[in-house]
C-alpha cells in the first residue's frame, strides 16, 4: 500500500517496520497469557534476531532489494514443497527430542538468518520464523507461532529503531496503520490459539503463495 502511494522503497520498509511494532506486541501478550511460548528456544533466538535485524536493516539502506527478491523467488517454491511433503508438519511438539547443542545451533540460524531477512526486506518474515521453529526446533505450529511473536518483536524493535533513526519513516502513515494492525493482531492471535495447526497450516501456505506472487510481480514490473 505504501509503495502504491509513491513512497521510496527504503521509506516503505521503514514505515512498515514501525507500524507493525504495536501489533506485534499485542499478539505477543496474547500468546504469553495463553502459555504458547517455548521460552528456552525463544530466549536463545531473541537476542540473535535483534542483531540479525540490525544488520539486515543497515544492509537494506546500502544495497538494492532486487538481489534478495530473485533469491526468494527460487527459495519459496522449495519451502512450499517441503511443507506439502510433510503432512505431520507442526502437528505436535517434539522439542524435547533435541539436544541442547541442536537447540543452540537452531537458535543461531533462526535468529541471525531470518532476523537479517526481517531487517532487510520484512515481508513474510513471521512465516519464516514460524517455519524455522517448527522444522528446526520441532515445535507444534501454535507454539512455533508464539515463539515467532516473541522473536519477531525483538527483531522488529531493532529494525524499526534503525529506520527511525535514519529518517526513513513517514509517521502519520505509521499512526494510521498501527490502529488496524493492533486490531488484526489481537483477533488473529486468538483464532490461531483456538484452532491451532488446522488454521495455521493453510494460512502458512497462503502467505507463501501471496509472497511469491508479490515477488514475481515486483521483478517483472
Amino acid at each position: 500500500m505504501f509503495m502504491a502511494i509513491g513512497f521510496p522503497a527504503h521509506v516503505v520498509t521503514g514505515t512498515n517496520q514501525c507500524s507493525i511494532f504495536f501489533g506485534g506486541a499485542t499478539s505477543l501478550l496474547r500468546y504469553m497469557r495463553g502459555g504458547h511460548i517455548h521460552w528456552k528456544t525463544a530466549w536463545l533466538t531473541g537476542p540473535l534476531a535483534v542483531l540479525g535485524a540490525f544488520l539486515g536493516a543497515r544492509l537494506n539502506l546500502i544495497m538494492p532489494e532486487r538481489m534478495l527478491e530473485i533469491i526468494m523467488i527460487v527459495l519459496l517454491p522449495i519451502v512450499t514443497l517441503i511443507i506439502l511433503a510433510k503432512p505431520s508438519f507442526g502437528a505436535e511438539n517434539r522439542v524435547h527430542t533435541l539436544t541442547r547443542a541442536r537447540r543452540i545451533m537452531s537458535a543461531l540460524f533462526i535468529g541471525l538468518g531470518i532476523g537479517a531477512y526481517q531487517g532487510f526486506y520484512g515481508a513474510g518474515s513471521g512465516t519464516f520464523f514460524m517455519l524455522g521453529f517448527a522444522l528446526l526446533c520441532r515445535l507444534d505450529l501454535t507454539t512455533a507461532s508464539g515463539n515467532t511473536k516473541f522473536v519477531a518483536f525483538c527483531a522488529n524493535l531493532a529494525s524499526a529503531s534503525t529506520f527511525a533513526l535514519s529518517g526513513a519513516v513517514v509517521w502519520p502513515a505509521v499512526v494510521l496503520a498501527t490502529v488496524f494492525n493492533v486490531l488484526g493482531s489481537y483477533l488473529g492471535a486468538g483464532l490461531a490459539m483456538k484452532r491451532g495447526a488446522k488454521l495455521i497450516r493453510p494460512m502458512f501456505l497462503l502467505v507463501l503463495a501471496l509472497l511469491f506472487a508479490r515477488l514475481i510481480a515486483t521483478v517483472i514490473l
Side-chain angles (χ1 to χ4, degrees):
M1 180 183 72
F2 294 139
M3 191 169 290
I5 295 174
F7 290 176
H10 294 151
V11 175
V12 169
T13 305
T15 302
N16 182 61
Q17 291 288 330
C18 290
S19 66
I20 65 176
F21 178 79
F22 291 103
T26 302
S27 294
L28 175 60
L29 287 174
R30 291 211 73 179
Y31 277 96
M32 288 174 63
R33 290 174 179 173
H36 294 294
I37 297 179
H38 185 265
W39 287 108
K40 287 184 179 180
T41 50
W43 282 121
L44 281 170
T45 312
L48 294 169
V50 171
L51 175 59
F54 172 77
L55 295 175
R58 298 304 304 176
L59 191 61
N60 176 281
L61 295 170
I62 62 175
M63 70 174 289
E65 296 178 357
R66 181 60 61 92
M67 184 181 303
L68 179 62
E69 290 170 348
I70 294 173
I71 293 174
M72 294 304 297
I73 287 174
V74 175
L75 290 180
L76 283 176
I78 297 175
V79 171
T80 303
L81 288 175
I82 291 174
I83 297 171
L84 292 175
K86 294 174 67 69
S88 61
F89 170 73
E92 59 180 311
N93 195 329
R94 297 189 294 116
V95 68
H96 60 276
T97 63
L98 298 178
T99 64
R100 185 172 182 273
R102 174 69 181 273
R103 287 201 305 268
I104 293 174
M105 291 302 297
S106 296
L108 179 66
F109 177 81
I110 296 170
L112 286 178
I114 305 177
Y117 171 82
Q118 174 167 336
F120 184 91
Y121 195 68
S125 57
T127 302
F128 293 120
F129 274 125
M130 194 188 309
L131 175 67
F133 281 119
L135 285 180
L136 300 180
C137 294
R138 300 180 185 175
L139 296 173
D140 64 273
L141 284 178
T142 303
T143 307
S145 182
N147 274 34
T148 295
K149 300 304 179 185
F150 173 77
V151 176
F153 176 80
C154 293
N156 179 239
L157 177 62
S159 56
S161 299
T162 302
F163 281 109
L165 292 173
S166 299
V169 177
V170 178
W171 292 107
V174 169
V175 173
L176 180 61
T178 294
V179 174
F180 295 98
N181 198 283
V182 168
L183 178 61
S185 297
Y186 182 84
L187 296 175
L191 282 173
M193 288 187 290
K194 183 177 180 180
R195 301 290 298 278
K198 292 181 180 180
L199 173 67
I200 297 174
R201 180 184 171 91
M203 290 300 295
F204 190 96
L205 293 171
L206 175 62
V207 170
L208 290 178
L210 291 174
L211 180 57
F212 182 74
R214 169 184 167 177
L215 289 169
I216 289 291
T218 301
V219 171
I220 292 177
L221 298 177

